[in-house]
Amino acid sequence: MARNNPRGLVPYRHMTGHAVIGTRRYSVKSDNPKAIFRGDPVELGDDGYVRVIDTSGVSALERGILGVVVGIMDSNGRPLTHDKPSGGGFLDASTAGFVEVADDPYTTFLISSDATAAQTMIGQFCRATAGSANSAAGISGFHLRLADATASSVGHRFRIIAIGPNERAIGNDRVAGSEFALNQDIEVLISDHDWKRANVRVGVTN
C-alpha cells in the first residue's frame, strides 16, 4: 500500500523473465565522497572504484549508472550485517570496502515516489534524488522525483515502467486512474546503464 517510505532501489525482476538477479562485487576507495547504503544507485569512476551517483543534473561525458547496491562489506570482505549496535550496516564516507551491486542492465527496480504518478508517466524518464538514509538499518533514502518525469532521456537516468505490483490492488476503478496514489512504489529500469552503452559517456552517441 502506498506510503512515504524512501528506501532506495530494490531489485524486482529481470526483463527476460529470469528469476535470478545477478550481482557482482566492486571495490570502494578509502576517499569515497559519500556514505553508501543498501539501495543506493552507484557509478564506476575513472579510477575503477564505485561511488554513489550525483543526483544533480547529469553532465556531458559523465559515466552511466553501474547498478544498485544490495550488500556491503568492510575492507576485509566481512559483511556489514552484524555490526550492531555501533553501526547500521552501511559504509561511511572516506572508508574503503566492497559492495555487491545488482549490475545487470535489464534488472528492474522498485522505488518509492515522492509524489503521485499518472498514466502519462508510464514510459517516461525520471531522476532519483537522495533523501535522508536510515543509518540505523543501513537503508538508502533515494526516491523517485516525479516532477522531473519527461519524454526526453537527456539528464534523466531512470525509465518508468509501471507502478509496483503491490500497488495495483488498490482500488477497482483503474480506468479512472484510482490506481495511482501518493508515494507509491514505481517499477523503473536504469536507462543510462554503464554496461549497456556503446559509449559510456553522457552526451556522446551510443
Side-chain angles (χ1 to χ4, degrees):
M1 185 172 180
R3 61 194 180 98
N4 189 12
N5 181 32
R7 62 192 185 285
L9 293 107
V10 179
Y12 173 45
R13 60 182 173 179
H14 195 274
M15 293 291 282
T16 64
H18 293 169
V20 178
I21 295 175
T23 65
R24 190 182 307 274
R25 181 176 293 192
Y26 294 89
S27 297
V28 178
K29 202 173 182 180
S30 59
D31 62 352
N32 66 306
K34 299 177 183 177
I36 300 178
F37 295 82
R38 295 190 310 278
D40 279 350
V42 292
E43 61 189 11
L44 188 64
D46 291 334
D47 55 5
Y49 294 90
V50 300
R51 59 178 65 93
V52 177
I53 67 169
D54 188 353
T55 57
S56 61
V58 183
S59 302
L61 303 182
E62 189 172 335
R63 296 187 74 115
I65 294 177
L66 178 65
V68 173
V69 173
V70 296
I72 302 176
M73 289 135 283
D74 64 17
S75 59
N76 296 312
R78 175 181 177 270
L80 295 179
T81 53
H82 303 291
D83 59 344
K84 307 291 186 181
S86 60
F90 66 94
L91 196 64
D92 210 347
S94 301
T95 304
F98 300 93
V99 289
E100 289 286 339
V101 178
D103 64 350
D104 190 304
Y106 298 100
T107 296
T108 72
F109 301 89
L110 296 179
I111 179 172
S112 179
S113 58
D114 67 346
T116 302
Q119 187 67 40
T120 54
M121 294 180 182
I122 305 301
Q124 290 192 335
F125 299 87
C126 202
R127 289 169 50 201
T129 57
S132 298
N134 184 338
S135 57
I139 297 175
S140 171
F142 269 84
H143 56 262
L144 199 65
R145 181 178 168 81
L146 291 180
D148 288 339
T150 175
S152 171
S153 63
V154 177
H156 298 79
R157 310 174 88 171
F158 300 91
R159 191 168 192 184
I160 298 172
I161 297 176
I163 61 170
N166 54 321
E167 310 289 4
R168 288 200 292 268
I170 302 173
N172 297 316
D173 188 11
R174 298 181 183 179
V175 175
S178 62
E179 187 174 356
F180 300 98
L182 180 64
N183 298 134
Q184 284 179 317
D185 282 352
I186 306 293
E187 183 183 3
V188 298
L189 183 71
I190 297 173
S191 59
D192 184 32
H193 201 290
D194 206 347
W195 292 154
K196 193 170 62 176
R197 307 170 72 189
N199 192 308
V200 298
R201 302 296 181 177
V202 174
V204 179
T205 302
N206 292 343

PDB file of all heavy atoms in Angstrom, residues 14-50:
ATOM      1  N   HIS A  14      13.750  -9.395 -13.728  1.00  0.00           N
ATOM      2  CA  HIS A  14      14.586  -9.241 -14.914  1.00  0.00           C
ATOM      3  C   HIS A  14      13.677  -9.149 -16.134  1.00  0.00           C
ATOM      4  O   HIS A  14      12.647  -9.828 -16.217  1.00  0.00           O
ATOM      5  CB  HIS A  14      15.542 -10.436 -15.050  1.00  0.00           C
ATOM      6  CG  HIS A  14      16.672 -10.215 -16.001  1.00  0.00           C
ATOM      7  ND1 HIS A  14      16.552 -10.448 -17.355  1.00  0.00           N
ATOM      8  CD2 HIS A  14      17.939  -9.772 -15.806  1.00  0.00           C
ATOM      9  CE1 HIS A  14      17.700 -10.160 -17.953  1.00  0.00           C
ATOM     10  NE2 HIS A  14      18.559  -9.748 -17.044  1.00  0.00           N
ATOM     11  N   MET A  15      14.041  -8.313 -17.087  1.00  0.00           N
ATOM     12  CA  MET A  15      13.193  -8.075 -18.250  1.00  0.00           C
ATOM     13  C   MET A  15      12.978  -9.338 -19.089  1.00  0.00           C
ATOM     14  O   MET A  15      11.992  -9.449 -19.820  1.00  0.00           O
ATOM     15  CB  MET A  15      13.792  -6.970 -19.122  1.00  0.00           C
ATOM     16  CG  MET A  15      13.801  -5.599 -18.464  1.00  0.00           C
ATOM     17  SD  MET A  15      12.153  -4.891 -18.253  1.00  0.00           S
ATOM     18  CE  MET A  15      11.828  -4.315 -19.927  1.00  0.00           C
ATOM     19  N   THR A  16      13.905 -10.299 -18.980  1.00  0.00           N
ATOM     20  CA  THR A  16      13.753 -11.544 -19.736  1.00  0.00           C
ATOM     21  C   THR A  16      12.833 -12.533 -19.048  1.00  0.00           C
ATOM     22  O   THR A  16      12.481 -13.559 -19.634  1.00  0.00           O
ATOM     23  CB  THR A  16      15.111 -12.218 -19.946  1.00  0.00           C
ATOM     24  OG1 THR A  16      15.645 -12.586 -18.658  1.00  0.00           O
ATOM     25  CG2 THR A  16      16.076 -11.303 -20.657  1.00  0.00           C
ATOM     26  N   GLY A  17      12.476 -12.269 -17.805  1.00  0.00           N
ATOM     27  CA  GLY A  17      11.654 -13.189 -17.042  1.00  0.00           C
ATOM     28  C   GLY A  17      12.453 -14.116 -16.155  1.00  0.00           C
ATOM     29  O   GLY A  17      11.876 -14.931 -15.423  1.00  0.00           O
ATOM     30  N   HIS A  18      13.778 -14.031 -16.195  1.00  0.00           N
ATOM     31  CA  HIS A  18      14.617 -14.866 -15.342  1.00  0.00           C
ATOM     32  C   HIS A  18      14.334 -14.571 -13.878  1.00  0.00           C
ATOM     33  O   HIS A  18      14.131 -13.420 -13.485  1.00  0.00           O
ATOM     34  CB  HIS A  18      16.091 -14.629 -15.631  1.00  0.00           C
ATOM     35  CG  HIS A  18      16.523 -15.086 -16.990  1.00  0.00           C
ATOM     36  ND1 HIS A  18      17.744 -14.774 -17.532  1.00  0.00           N
ATOM     37  CD2 HIS A  18      15.885 -15.846 -17.922  1.00  0.00           C
ATOM     38  CE1 HIS A  18      17.850 -15.312 -18.742  1.00  0.00           C
ATOM     39  NE2 HIS A  18      16.730 -15.959 -18.999  1.00  0.00           N
ATOM     40  N   ALA A  19      14.360 -15.614 -13.063  1.00  0.00           N
ATOM     41  CA  ALA A  19      14.095 -15.441 -11.639  1.00  0.00           C
ATOM     42  C   ALA A  19      15.326 -14.940 -10.885  1.00  0.00           C
ATOM     43  O   ALA A  19      15.213 -14.335  -9.829  1.00  0.00           O
ATOM     44  CB  ALA A  19      13.627 -16.764 -11.042  1.00  0.00           C
ATOM     45  N   VAL A  20      16.513 -15.210 -11.417  1.00  0.00           N
ATOM     46  CA  VAL A  20      17.744 -14.855 -10.723  1.00  0.00           C
ATOM     47  C   VAL A  20      18.221 -13.468 -11.151  1.00  0.00           C
ATOM     48  O   VAL A  20      18.292 -13.169 -12.349  1.00  0.00           O
ATOM     49  CB  VAL A  20      18.855 -15.889 -11.003  1.00  0.00           C
ATOM     50  CG1 VAL A  20      20.157 -15.476 -10.317  1.00  0.00           C
ATOM     51  CG2 VAL A  20      18.420 -17.271 -10.520  1.00  0.00           C
ATOM     52  N   ILE A  21      18.525 -12.632 -10.158  1.00  0.00           N
ATOM     53  CA  ILE A  21      19.070 -11.306 -10.421  1.00  0.00           C
ATOM     54  C   ILE A  21      20.544 -11.342 -10.041  1.00  0.00           C
ATOM     55  O   ILE A  21      20.896 -11.546  -8.872  1.00  0.00           O
ATOM     56  CB  ILE A  21      18.328 -10.225  -9.624  1.00  0.00           C
ATOM     57  CG1 ILE A  21      16.875 -10.133 -10.108  1.00  0.00           C
ATOM     58  CG2 ILE A  21      19.021  -8.863  -9.759  1.00  0.00           C
ATOM     59  CD1 ILE A  21      16.013  -9.184  -9.319  1.00  0.00           C
ATOM     60  N   GLY A  22      21.420 -11.170 -11.015  1.00  0.00           N
ATOM     61  CA  GLY A  22      22.848 -11.289 -10.783  1.00  0.00           C
ATOM     62  C   GLY A  22      23.452 -10.079 -10.103  1.00  0.00           C
ATOM     63  O   GLY A  22      22.987  -8.948 -10.273  1.00  0.00           O
ATOM     64  N   THR A  23      24.498 -10.328  -9.318  1.00  0.00           N
ATOM     65  CA  THR A  23      25.248  -9.256  -8.671  1.00  0.00           C
ATOM     66  C   THR A  23      26.739  -9.481  -8.907  1.00  0.00           C
ATOM     67  O   THR A  23      27.174 -10.566  -9.270  1.00  0.00           O
ATOM     68  CB  THR A  23      24.979  -9.189  -7.160  1.00  0.00           C
ATOM     69  OG1 THR A  23      25.477 -10.382  -6.532  1.00  0.00           O
ATOM     70  CG2 THR A  23      23.493  -9.055  -6.878  1.00  0.00           C
ATOM     71  N   ARG A  24      27.497  -8.430  -8.674  1.00  0.00           N
ATOM     72  CA  ARG A  24      28.952  -8.510  -8.802  1.00  0.00           C
ATOM     73  C   ARG A  24      29.568  -7.649  -7.704  1.00  0.00           C
ATOM     74  O   ARG A  24      29.021  -6.621  -7.327  1.00  0.00           O
ATOM     75  CB  ARG A  24      29.387  -8.001 -10.178  1.00  0.00           C
ATOM     76  CG  ARG A  24      30.865  -8.255 -10.506  1.00  0.00           C
ATOM     77  CD  ARG A  24      31.213  -7.674 -11.872  1.00  0.00           C
ATOM     78  NE  ARG A  24      30.304  -8.131 -12.909  1.00  0.00           N
ATOM     79  CZ  ARG A  24      30.460  -9.265 -13.594  1.00  0.00           C
ATOM     80  NH1 ARG A  24      31.479 -10.051 -13.335  1.00  0.00           N
ATOM     81  NH2 ARG A  24      29.582  -9.593 -14.534  1.00  0.00           N
ATOM     82  N   ARG A  25      30.726  -8.099  -7.200  1.00  0.00           N
ATOM     83  CA  ARG A  25      31.400  -7.357  -6.134  1.00  0.00           C
ATOM     84  C   ARG A  25      32.338  -6.303  -6.739  1.00  0.00           C
ATOM     85  O   ARG A  25      33.103  -6.588  -7.649  1.00  0.00           O
ATOM     86  CB  ARG A  25      32.202  -8.293  -5.241  1.00  0.00           C
ATOM     87  CG  ARG A  25      32.917  -7.590  -4.090  1.00  0.00           C
ATOM     88  CD  ARG A  25      33.628  -8.545  -3.171  1.00  0.00           C
ATOM     89  NE  ARG A  25      32.677  -9.385  -2.445  1.00  0.00           N
ATOM     90  CZ  ARG A  25      33.011 -10.151  -1.402  1.00  0.00           C
ATOM     91  NH1 ARG A  25      34.267 -10.194  -0.985  1.00  0.00           N
ATOM     92  NH2 ARG A  25      32.095 -10.886  -0.804  1.00  0.00           N
ATOM     93  N   TYR A  26      32.247  -5.081  -6.194  1.00  0.00           N
ATOM     94  CA  TYR A  26      33.101  -3.981  -6.617  1.00  0.00           C
ATOM     95  C   TYR A  26      33.786  -3.355  -5.412  1.00  0.00           C
ATOM     96  O   TYR A  26      33.291  -3.444  -4.277  1.00  0.00           O
ATOM     97  CB  TYR A  26      32.281  -2.905  -7.344  1.00  0.00           C
ATOM     98  CG  TYR A  26      31.691  -3.343  -8.655  1.00  0.00           C
ATOM     99  CD1 TYR A  26      30.436  -3.929  -8.724  1.00  0.00           C
ATOM    100  CD2 TYR A  26      32.393  -3.172  -9.843  1.00  0.00           C
ATOM    101  CE1 TYR A  26      29.881  -4.330  -9.933  1.00  0.00           C
ATOM    102  CE2 TYR A  26      31.854  -3.565 -11.068  1.00  0.00           C
ATOM    103  CZ  TYR A  26      30.598  -4.145 -11.096  1.00  0.00           C
ATOM    104  OH  TYR A  26      30.060  -4.539 -12.306  1.00  0.00           O
ATOM    105  N   SER A  27      34.914  -2.704  -5.665  1.00  0.00           N
ATOM    106  CA  SER A  27      35.683  -2.069  -4.598  1.00  0.00           C
ATOM    107  C   SER A  27      35.269  -0.614  -4.398  1.00  0.00           C
ATOM    108  O   SER A  27      34.924   0.086  -5.345  1.00  0.00           O
ATOM    109  CB  SER A  27      37.179  -2.114  -4.930  1.00  0.00           C
ATOM    110  OG  SER A  27      37.642  -3.442  -5.015  1.00  0.00           O
ATOM    111  N   VAL A  28      35.346  -0.187  -3.140  1.00  0.00           N
ATOM    112  CA  VAL A  28      35.099   1.207  -2.768  1.00  0.00           C
ATOM    113  C   VAL A  28      36.396   1.761  -2.201  1.00  0.00           C
ATOM    114  O   VAL A  28      37.015   1.156  -1.314  1.00  0.00           O
ATOM    115  CB  VAL A  28      33.980   1.326  -1.719  1.00  0.00           C
ATOM    116  CG1 VAL A  28      33.769   2.792  -1.320  1.00  0.00           C
ATOM    117  CG2 VAL A  28      32.689   0.722  -2.253  1.00  0.00           C
ATOM    118  N   LYS A  29      36.826   2.903  -2.676  1.00  0.00           N
ATOM    119  CA  LYS A  29      38.088   3.511  -2.276  1.00  0.00           C
ATOM    120  C   LYS A  29      37.952   4.221  -0.932  1.00  0.00           C
ATOM    121  O   LYS A  29      36.859   4.639  -0.539  1.00  0.00           O
ATOM    122  CB  LYS A  29      38.530   4.493  -3.362  1.00  0.00           C
ATOM    123  CG  LYS A  29      40.009   4.817  -3.379  1.00  0.00           C
ATOM    124  CD  LYS A  29      40.337   5.672  -4.603  1.00  0.00           C
ATOM    125  CE  LYS A  29      41.817   5.988  -4.681  1.00  0.00           C
ATOM    126  NZ  LYS A  29      42.145   6.819  -5.881  1.00  0.00           N
ATOM    127  N   SER A  30      39.083   4.380  -0.254  1.00  0.00           N
ATOM    128  CA  SER A  30      39.074   4.990   1.073  1.00  0.00           C
ATOM    129  C   SER A  30      38.697   6.470   1.053  1.00  0.00           C
ATOM    130  O   SER A  30      38.381   7.038   2.097  1.00  0.00           O
ATOM    131  CB  SER A  30      40.450   4.838   1.740  1.00  0.00           C
ATOM    132  OG  SER A  30      41.452   5.441   0.957  1.00  0.00           O
ATOM    133  N   ASP A  31      38.728   7.096  -0.122  1.00  0.00           N
ATOM    134  CA  ASP A  31      38.328   8.506  -0.193  1.00  0.00           C
ATOM    135  C   ASP A  31      36.967   8.675  -0.865  1.00  0.00           C
ATOM    136  O   ASP A  31      36.691   9.728  -1.438  1.00  0.00           O
ATOM    137  CB  ASP A  31      39.388   9.340  -0.912  1.00  0.00           C
ATOM    138  CG  ASP A  31      39.599   8.916  -2.368  1.00  0.00           C
ATOM    139  OD1 ASP A  31      39.027   7.876  -2.770  1.00  0.00           O
ATOM    140  OD2 ASP A  31      40.328   9.619  -3.094  1.00  0.00           O
ATOM    141  N   ASN A  32      36.105   7.633  -0.783  1.00  0.00           N
ATOM    142  CA  ASN A  32      34.777   7.773  -1.387  1.00  0.00           C
ATOM    143  C   ASN A  32      34.039   8.955  -0.765  1.00  0.00           C
ATOM    144  O   ASN A  32      34.041   9.132   0.454  1.00  0.00           O
ATOM    145  CB  ASN A  32      33.955   6.488  -1.226  1.00  0.00           C
ATOM    146  CG  ASN A  32      33.616   6.169   0.215  1.00  0.00           C
ATOM    147  OD1 ASN A  32      34.502   6.094   1.044  1.00  0.00           O
ATOM    148  ND2 ASN A  32      32.349   5.975   0.519  1.00  0.00           N
ATOM    149  N   PRO A  33      33.418   9.811  -1.578  1.00  0.00           N
ATOM    150  CA  PRO A  33      32.886  11.079  -1.071  1.00  0.00           C
ATOM    151  C   PRO A  33      31.601  10.978  -0.252  1.00  0.00           C
ATOM    152  O   PRO A  33      31.297  11.890   0.511  1.00  0.00           O
ATOM    153  CB  PRO A  33      32.644  11.889  -2.355  1.00  0.00           C
ATOM    154  CG  PRO A  33      32.446  10.858  -3.416  1.00  0.00           C
ATOM    155  CD  PRO A  33      33.335   9.712  -3.038  1.00  0.00           C
ATOM    156  N   LYS A  34      30.844   9.885  -0.419  1.00  0.00           N
ATOM    157  CA  LYS A  34      29.552   9.773   0.278  1.00  0.00           C
ATOM    158  C   LYS A  34      29.418   8.403   0.916  1.00  0.00           C
ATOM    159  O   LYS A  34      29.945   7.409   0.408  1.00  0.00           O
ATOM    160  CB  LYS A  34      28.397   9.976  -0.702  1.00  0.00           C
ATOM    161  CG  LYS A  34      28.359  11.324  -1.384  1.00  0.00           C
ATOM    162  CD  LYS A  34      27.202  11.379  -2.385  1.00  0.00           C
ATOM    163  CE  LYS A  34      27.180  12.691  -3.138  1.00  0.00           C
ATOM    164  NZ  LYS A  34      26.098  12.728  -4.163  1.00  0.00           N
ATOM    165  N   ALA A  35      28.690   8.348   2.019  1.00  0.00           N
ATOM    166  CA  ALA A  35      28.360   7.063   2.627  1.00  0.00           C
ATOM    167  C   ALA A  35      27.524   6.233   1.653  1.00  0.00           C
ATOM    168  O   ALA A  35      26.751   6.786   0.861  1.00  0.00           O
ATOM    169  CB  ALA A  35      27.602   7.273   3.939  1.00  0.00           C
ATOM    170  N   ILE A  36      27.676   4.918   1.709  1.00  0.00           N
ATOM    171  CA  ILE A  36      26.962   4.026   0.789  1.00  0.00           C
ATOM    172  C   ILE A  36      26.020   3.130   1.585  1.00  0.00           C
ATOM    173  O   ILE A  36      26.430   2.465   2.541  1.00  0.00           O
ATOM    174  CB  ILE A  36      27.951   3.166  -0.021  1.00  0.00           C
ATOM    175  CG1 ILE A  36      28.879   4.068  -0.836  1.00  0.00           C
ATOM    176  CG2 ILE A  36      27.204   2.214  -0.932  1.00  0.00           C
ATOM    177  CD1 ILE A  36      29.924   3.305  -1.634  1.00  0.00           C
ATOM    178  N   PHE A  37      24.752   3.109   1.168  1.00  0.00           N
ATOM    179  CA  PHE A  37      23.716   2.329   1.824  1.00  0.00           C
ATOM    180  C   PHE A  37      23.135   1.311   0.846  1.00  0.00           C
ATOM    181  O   PHE A  37      23.224   1.488  -0.373  1.00  0.00           O
ATOM    182  CB  PHE A  37      22.585   3.245   2.318  1.00  0.00           C
ATOM    183  CG  PHE A  37      23.000   4.212   3.395  1.00  0.00           C
ATOM    184  CD1 PHE A  37      23.643   5.403   3.079  1.00  0.00           C
ATOM    185  CD2 PHE A  37      22.750   3.933   4.732  1.00  0.00           C
ATOM    186  CE1 PHE A  37      24.029   6.299   4.069  1.00  0.00           C
ATOM    187  CE2 PHE A  37      23.131   4.825   5.730  1.00  0.00           C
ATOM    188  CZ  PHE A  37      23.767   6.010   5.391  1.00  0.00           C
ATOM    189  N   ARG A  38      22.526   0.272   1.381  1.00  0.00           N
ATOM    190  CA  ARG A  38      21.811  -0.674   0.518  1.00  0.00           C
ATOM    191  C   ARG A  38      20.656   0.042  -0.168  1.00  0.00           C
ATOM    192  O   ARG A  38      19.874   0.735   0.476  1.00  0.00           O
ATOM    193  CB  ARG A  38      21.272  -1.857   1.338  1.00  0.00           C
ATOM    194  CG  ARG A  38      22.352  -2.711   1.951  1.00  0.00           C
ATOM    195  CD  ARG A  38      21.808  -4.010   2.540  1.00  0.00           C
ATOM    196  NE  ARG A  38      20.663  -3.808   3.411  1.00  0.00           N
ATOM    197  CZ  ARG A  38      20.752  -3.447   4.689  1.00  0.00           C
ATOM    198  NH1 ARG A  38      21.940  -3.213   5.229  1.00  0.00           N
ATOM    199  NH2 ARG A  38      19.675  -3.309   5.419  1.00  0.00           N
ATOM    200  N   GLY A  39      20.587  -0.104  -1.481  1.00  0.00           N
ATOM    201  CA  GLY A  39      19.559   0.576  -2.257  1.00  0.00           C
ATOM    202  C   GLY A  39      20.059   1.799  -2.977  1.00  0.00           C
ATOM    203  O   GLY A  39      19.334   2.389  -3.790  1.00  0.00           O
ATOM    204  N   ASP A  40      21.320   2.195  -2.721  1.00  0.00           N
ATOM    205  CA  ASP A  40      21.887   3.353  -3.407  1.00  0.00           C
ATOM    206  C   ASP A  40      22.281   2.996  -4.841  1.00  0.00           C
ATOM    207  O   ASP A  40      22.933   1.972  -5.073  1.00  0.00           O
ATOM    208  CB  ASP A  40      23.150   3.843  -2.689  1.00  0.00           C
ATOM    209  CG  ASP A  40      22.865   4.711  -1.483  1.00  0.00           C
ATOM    210  OD1 ASP A  40      21.705   5.105  -1.290  1.00  0.00           O
ATOM    211  OD2 ASP A  40      23.827   4.998  -0.731  1.00  0.00           O
ATOM    212  N   PRO A  41      21.960   3.844  -5.816  1.00  0.00           N
ATOM    213  CA  PRO A  41      22.497   3.670  -7.169  1.00  0.00           C
ATOM    214  C   PRO A  41      23.935   4.168  -7.201  1.00  0.00           C
ATOM    215  O   PRO A  41      24.263   5.206  -6.628  1.00  0.00           O
ATOM    216  CB  PRO A  41      21.574   4.541  -8.030  1.00  0.00           C
ATOM    217  CG  PRO A  41      21.059   5.589  -7.091  1.00  0.00           C
ATOM    218  CD  PRO A  41      21.013   4.967  -5.725  1.00  0.00           C
ATOM    219  N   VAL A  42      24.800   3.415  -7.874  1.00  0.00           N
ATOM    220  CA  VAL A  42      26.218   3.766  -7.887  1.00  0.00           C
ATOM    221  C   VAL A  42      26.744   3.822  -9.316  1.00  0.00           C
ATOM    222  O   VAL A  42      26.139   3.266 -10.245  1.00  0.00           O
ATOM    223  CB  VAL A  42      27.061   2.773  -7.055  1.00  0.00           C
ATOM    224  CG1 VAL A  42      26.746   2.900  -5.576  1.00  0.00           C
ATOM    225  CG2 VAL A  42      26.838   1.339  -7.527  1.00  0.00           C
ATOM    226  N   GLU A  43      27.890   4.469  -9.471  1.00  0.00           N
ATOM    227  CA  GLU A  43      28.562   4.563 -10.756  1.00  0.00           C
ATOM    228  C   GLU A  43      30.011   4.141 -10.591  1.00  0.00           C
ATOM    229  O   GLU A  43      30.558   4.161  -9.472  1.00  0.00           O
ATOM    230  CB  GLU A  43      28.476   5.984 -11.316  1.00  0.00           C
ATOM    231  CG  GLU A  43      29.139   7.027 -10.437  1.00  0.00           C
ATOM    232  CD  GLU A  43      28.858   8.444 -10.903  1.00  0.00           C
ATOM    233  OE1 GLU A  43      27.991   8.628 -11.769  1.00  0.00           O
ATOM    234  OE2 GLU A  43      29.519   9.367 -10.382  1.00  0.00           O
ATOM    235  N   LEU A  44      30.628   3.761 -11.690  1.00  0.00           N
ATOM    236  CA  LEU A  44      32.021   3.351 -11.690  1.00  0.00           C
ATOM    237  C   LEU A  44      32.871   4.534 -12.101  1.00  0.00           C
ATOM    238  O   LEU A  44      32.709   5.094 -13.189  1.00  0.00           O
ATOM    239  CB  LEU A  44      32.218   2.192 -12.672  1.00  0.00           C
ATOM    240  CG  LEU A  44      33.568   1.489 -12.681  1.00  0.00           C
ATOM    241  CD1 LEU A  44      33.817   0.798 -11.346  1.00  0.00           C
ATOM    242  CD2 LEU A  44      33.623   0.480 -13.818  1.00  0.00           C
ATOM    243  N   GLY A  45      33.791   4.941 -11.216  1.00  0.00           N
ATOM    244  CA  GLY A  45      34.639   6.080 -11.508  1.00  0.00           C
ATOM    245  C   GLY A  45      35.760   5.727 -12.466  1.00  0.00           C
ATOM    246  O   GLY A  45      36.030   4.560 -12.758  1.00  0.00           O
ATOM    247  N   ASP A  46      36.439   6.738 -12.952  1.00  0.00           N
ATOM    248  CA  ASP A  46      37.575   6.519 -13.842  1.00  0.00           C
ATOM    249  C   ASP A  46      38.707   5.767 -13.160  1.00  0.00           C
ATOM    250  O   ASP A  46      39.576   5.202 -13.825  1.00  0.00           O
ATOM    251  CB  ASP A  46      38.095   7.863 -14.369  1.00  0.00           C
ATOM    252  CG  ASP A  46      37.116   8.523 -15.327  1.00  0.00           C
ATOM    253  OD1 ASP A  46      36.324   7.802 -15.959  1.00  0.00           O
ATOM    254  OD2 ASP A  46      37.140   9.769 -15.436  1.00  0.00           O
ATOM    255  N   ASP A  47      38.695   5.750 -11.818  1.00  0.00           N
ATOM    256  CA  ASP A  47      39.738   5.041 -11.076  1.00  0.00           C
ATOM    257  C   ASP A  47      39.388   3.573 -10.853  1.00  0.00           C
ATOM    258  O   ASP A  47      40.156   2.835 -10.230  1.00  0.00           O
ATOM    259  CB  ASP A  47      39.997   5.728  -9.729  1.00  0.00           C
ATOM    260  CG  ASP A  47      38.735   5.875  -8.884  1.00  0.00           C
ATOM    261  OD1 ASP A  47      37.667   5.358  -9.292  1.00  0.00           O
ATOM    262  OD2 ASP A  47      38.813   6.521  -7.824  1.00  0.00           O
ATOM    263  N   GLY A  48      38.208   3.141 -11.339  1.00  0.00           N
ATOM    264  CA  GLY A  48      37.817   1.750 -11.196  1.00  0.00           C
ATOM    265  C   GLY A  48      37.090   1.429  -9.910  1.00  0.00           C
ATOM    266  O   GLY A  48      36.738   0.263  -9.668  1.00  0.00           O
ATOM    267  N   TYR A  49      36.835   2.440  -9.077  1.00  0.00           N
ATOM    268  CA  TYR A  49      36.095   2.251  -7.824  1.00  0.00           C
ATOM    269  C   TYR A  49      34.682   2.801  -7.980  1.00  0.00           C
ATOM    270  O   TYR A  49      34.432   3.688  -8.800  1.00  0.00           O
ATOM    271  CB  TYR A  49      36.800   2.973  -6.673  1.00  0.00           C
ATOM    272  CG  TYR A  49      38.153   2.409  -6.310  1.00  0.00           C
ATOM    273  CD1 TYR A  49      39.314   2.887  -6.922  1.00  0.00           C
ATOM    274  CD2 TYR A  49      38.278   1.393  -5.360  1.00  0.00           C
ATOM    275  CE1 TYR A  49      40.561   2.372  -6.593  1.00  0.00           C
ATOM    276  CE2 TYR A  49      39.512   0.865  -5.034  1.00  0.00           C
ATOM    277  CZ  TYR A  49      40.652   1.361  -5.649  1.00  0.00           C
ATOM    278  OH  TYR A  49      41.884   0.842  -5.326  1.00  0.00           O
ATOM    279  N   VAL A  50      33.765   2.277  -7.162  1.00  0.00           N
ATOM    280  CA  VAL A  50      32.381   2.738  -7.261  1.00  0.00           C
ATOM    281  C   VAL A  50      32.100   3.813  -6.222  1.00  0.00           C
ATOM    282  O   VAL A  50      32.738   3.882  -5.168  1.00  0.00           O
ATOM    283  CB  VAL A  50      31.371   1.574  -7.108  1.00  0.00           C
ATOM    284  CG1 VAL A  50      31.571   0.539  -8.181  1.00  0.00           C
ATOM    285  CG2 VAL A  50      31.448   0.950  -5.730  1.00  0.00           C
TER     286      VAL A  50
END
